[in-house]
Amino acid sequence: MKIWVNILAIIVFIAAIAAGKMYWNNKVSEQSVSAPTKVETSSNKNESENTWKEHAQNLPKSVKARLQNAKQTETPLKLVIVGSASQEQVKATWAELLKKEIEDSYGSSLINVEVHEYKNMTTLQFIKSGDYKEIADVQPDVLLFEPFLLNDNGVVGIENTLENINIILTYVKEQNEQVITILQPSAPVYKANNYPNDTEALKQFAKENGYDYINHWTAWPDYRSEGILNYLTKTHGQPNDDGEKLWAQYLENYFTNSESNL
């Protein structure tokens, strides 16, 4: 009888050891399955952070700071694009192409882009019609403004154009003092005379008033050469599809660091 008791005790002991080993192995297995999930989540977060910073390399520090805040608060930065609507039929304007590239690169949860294009508009008409107020109403964080420079040329006069631009931007600033404004010229014109001087005046205006300025003309062939005709329609100063793409690609590189497109 004593022998059977001892045998039973040995069996119970062995069973206890086996059960303990199985329990321990299960715990180790659970930990090894769950651990990669935590690492992957952290990795994805870092990758997302690095991706938008990579895209933002060419942007001013003020815009980068806004993007950082948008990321932290999960509130999209609002970029509003304002400019002249095409007078010719094109597949997509530079503004439409830029909107798509920015939202594809950053995601609409980080940057929301609105496009406001006005046909045959001058700065004087923009003010008299009150249309400039709707730009302030949408409360842009960043305003990319092509201020109808070509439409104004020979009609409004550059001094009046600059005064009108100042009225427009002052009003927008009064409605949202945190707005960041970036100016750019209209498309180049083949063998233009006074118009290139207008673009230089706009550049100087931007510098004197603390606005960023994008000179996309550097991406085009020289306006005095016949090569630029490959990017323009027969209508005075109007880009064709290739011109719209060229203009958009320059801005895409500025906003998303996408040099491969150029």
Side-chain angles (χ1 to χ4, degrees):
M1 183 67 179
K2 186 175 182 181
I3 294 174
W4 286 108
V5 172
N6 290 337
I7 292 173
L8 182 60
I10 292 171
I11 291 173
V12 172
F13 177 71
I14 293 172
I17 292 176
K21 182 173 178 57
M22 289 176 63
Y23 176 80
W24 175 254
N25 287 342
N26 286 337
K27 280 293 184 183
V28 171
S29 177
E30 288 174 4
Q31 289 177 359
S32 53
V33 169
S34 61
T37 304
K38 295 179 181 178
V39 173
E40 186 179 350
T41 301
S42 176
S43 175
N44 288 343
K45 184 177 180 181
N46 290 336
E47 184 179 347
S48 174
E49 186 79 7
N50 292 334
T51 298
W52 80 258
K53 286 184 177 180
E54 178 68 24
H55 287 311
Q57 281 191 23
N58 299 328
L59 294 174
K61 291 181 179 178
S62 56
V63 179
K64 291 179 183 177
R66 291 293 181 85
L67 281 169
Q68 181 70 59
N69 182 66
K71 186 72 175 177
Q72 292 173 346
T73 62
E74 298 183 348
T75 303
L77 177 148
K78 181 179 284 188
L79 168 63
V80 176
I81 299 173
V82 177
S84 307
S86 177
Q87 297 181 32
E88 295 291 326
Q89 188 67 35
V90 291
K91 293 178 181 177
T93 65
W94 62 266
E96 293 167 339
L97 293 169
L98 179 61
K99 170 183 168 68
K100 184 178 185 306
E101 178 66 22
I102 289 176
E103 292 188 340
D104 285 350
S105 297
Y106 291 95
S108 56
S109 61
L110 186 58
I111 298 184
N112 179 262
V113 183
E114 283 189 23
V115 175
H116 296 256
E117 296 177 311
Y118 300 86
K119 199 164 188 175
N120 299 318
M121 182 69 75
T122 67
T123 55
L124 183 58
Q125 292 170 334
F126 200 49
I127 292 173
K128 285 187 174 181
S129 66
D131 286 341
Y132 72 104
K133 293 182 179 180
E134 60 186 39
I135 304 306
D137 290 343
V138 298
Q139 292 287 298
D141 296 303
V142 178
L143 171 63
L144 174 61
F145 189 23
E146 176 258 303
F148 320 118
L149 196 64
L150 180 56
N151 293 341
D152 273 24
N153 177 251
V155 177
V156 177
I158 188 59
E159 290 186 5
N160 291 328
T161 293
L162 297 179
E163 179 59 31
N164 292 340
I165 294 172
N166 188 53
I167 291 171
I168 294 164
L169 297 183
T170 297
Y171 179 82
V172 173
K173 187 82 171 178
E174 286 173 351
Q175 308 310 306
N176 177 14
E177 62 179 18
Q178 300 301 318
V179 66
I180 298 169
T181 299
I182 302 172
L183 296 175
Q184 63 166 338
S186 307
V189 174
Y190 177 53
K191 288 188 175 180
N193 292 318
N194 296 324
Y195 178 48
N197 294 330
D198 291 354
T199 66
E200 285 300 314
L202 179 64
K203 181 179 179 180
Q204 186 62 30
F205 170 85
K207 182 178 179 181
E208 290 175 356
N209 291 275
Y211 301 121
D212 289 291
Y213 182 81
I214 302 178
N215 184 17
H216 60 85
W217 278 31
T218 60
W220 300 71
D222 192 306
Y223 71 90
R224 293 161 293 194
S225 72
E226 291 187 357
I228 201 170
L229 295 176
N230 295 322
Y231 299 93
L232 300 174
T233 68
K234 292 181 180 180
T235 302
H236 183 69
Q238 292 299 303
N240 58 23
D241 282 316
D242 288 336
E244 298 284 358
K245 289 177 184 176
L246 184 72
W247 189 347
Q249 286 172 353
Y250 185 87
L251 295 174
E252 286 166 8
N253 181 45
Y254 179 84
F255 281 96
T256 70
N257 193 31
S258 54
E259 290 187 66
S260 58
N261 291 334
L262 298 178

